[in-house]
Amino acid sequence: MTEILSDSEADERLSADWTRSGKVISREVELASFPQAIEVVDRVAVLAEAADHHPDIDIRWRTLTFRLSTHSAGGLTEKDFSLASEIDEVLSSL
């Protein structure tokens, strides 16, 4: 089983674009258009499938909210921060 990070470990791994609320990290981003938002979701879906770790994604027109938590472990793990970093890379490449 994947090891759950302590609150301090999770806070140390948190980048400036992500926030933590208990056992969940999240990032909200506004894209230039709805098609661009869907493109980002498609790219993140490929990464999530490869990692076998799937974020909750809320799509509101051109605003996306990503939420990550390792539900099977009951909290935040390295998997969450690894996928968050990959999501950041997708967003940086736009």
Side-chain angles (χ1 to χ4, degrees), residues 8-73:
S8 61
E9 290 171 324
D11 289 340
E12 287 174 15
R13 286 172 171 79
L14 203 59
S15 73
D17 294 318
W18 291 81
T19 59
R20 184 174 74 85
S21 178
K23 299 177 181 182
V24 177
I25 58 172
S26 61
R27 178 176 180 182
E28 184 176 285
V29 62
E30 187 173 313
L31 286 303
S33 65
F34 182 71
Q36 187 180 49
I38 297 306
E39 176 188 341
V40 168
V41 170
D42 286 343
R43 290 173 63 186
V44 169
V46 171
L47 297 171
E49 276 296 299
D52 193 27
H53 190 59
H54 304 88
D56 294 330
I57 304 172
D58 183 53
I59 306 168
R60 305 290 171 137
W61 183 35
R62 59 186 189 156
T63 301
L64 301 176
T65 304
F66 297 96
R67 290 181 187 83
L68 290 163
S69 183
T70 306
H71 303 292
S72 60

Side-chain angles (χ1 to χ4, degrees), residues 15 17-18 27 83-93:
S15 73
D17 294 318
W18 291 81
R27 178 176 180 182
L83 187 54
S85 178
E86 291 185 86
I87 291 169
D88 289 344
E89 288 177 23
V90 168
L91 293 167
S92 294
S93 72

